[in-house]
Amino acid sequence: LPLKDKMADLTLCSLAFQMNASKTERSKSLREMSRILKTGGYSIITLPGSYMTEKDQEKFGEVATEYGFKIVDYQKDVGKSKVDVYVMKKTKPLTSDKIHNLKWQGDP
């Protein structure tokens, strides 16, 4: 993103995160969100309901933690559209450049 490090208080990715390439781009997107967020800032990601299995959710949480996030809220099947909502707080500085494969159940 063409934004400075630690300049934002909030990032939002609504029903678009799953469209990133699973093997590289999802991880890079999380990393970029962390890079531009101030410590204490929040990131909200919405996904189609039931897009991830419990194992997929665990991996997502591990990668988010590695990039300095803590998942502070998770809501499943919210609203008429039945979306899953992740609210993550940036709790520590970004220290990892590692790219992870975040392939999920709902991927083609």
Side-chain angles (χ1 to χ4, degrees), residues 57-92:
Q57 291 170 340
E58 288 175 21
K59 178 68 173 181
F60 177 73
E62 290 168 8
V63 173
T65 299
E66 183 175 323
Y67 290 153
F69 289 109
K70 177 181 180 186
I71 297 174
V72 295
D73 194 15
Y74 167 68
Q75 300 290 318
K76 185 168 181 56
D77 295 329
V78 174
K80 291 180 182 179
S81 298
K82 304 274 187 203
V83 297
D84 292 353
V85 180
Y86 291 85
V87 179
M88 304 184 303
K89 183 174 184 177
K90 184 168 177 191
T91 58
K92 59 185 179 181

Side-chain angles (χ1 to χ4, degrees), residues 1-107:
L1 297 171
L3 300 170
K4 294 180 182 179
D5 293 357
K6 303 175 190 169
M7 58 94 44
D9 294 310
L10 174 70
T11 64
L12 174 64
C13 188
S14 181
L15 295 171
F17 194 77
Q18 76 281 1
M19 293 180 187
N20 287 320
S22 59
K23 291 185 180 178
T24 57
E25 298 303 316
R26 289 180 186 158
S27 182
K28 288 179 182 178
S29 294
L30 273 179
R31 188 188 175 290
E32 277 297 280
M33 290 178 200
S34 181
R35 181 187 66 78
I36 66 168
L37 273 175
K38 298 173 187 172
T39 299
Y42 288 87
S43 184
I44 300 170
I45 297 175
T46 64
L47 296 166
S50 302
Y51 202 84
M52 290 194 274
T53 65
E54 284 187 36
K55 187 175 180 178
D56 297 336
Q57 291 170 340
E58 288 175 21
K59 178 68 173 181
F60 177 73
E62 290 168 8
V63 173
T65 299
E66 183 175 323
Y67 290 153
F69 289 109
K70 177 181 180 186
I71 297 174
V72 295
D73 194 15
Y74 167 68
Q75 300 290 318
K76 185 168 181 56
D77 295 329
V78 174
K80 291 180 182 179
S81 298
K82 304 274 187 203
V83 297
D84 292 353
V85 180
Y86 291 85
V87 179
M88 304 184 303
K89 183 174 184 177
K90 184 168 177 191
T91 58
K92 59 185 179 181
L94 176 65
T95 57
S96 176
D97 285 331
K98 185 174 179 182
I99 303 300
H100 299 271
N101 181 352
L102 293 176
K103 184 165 176 58
W104 299 328
Q105 165 185 286
D107 293 333

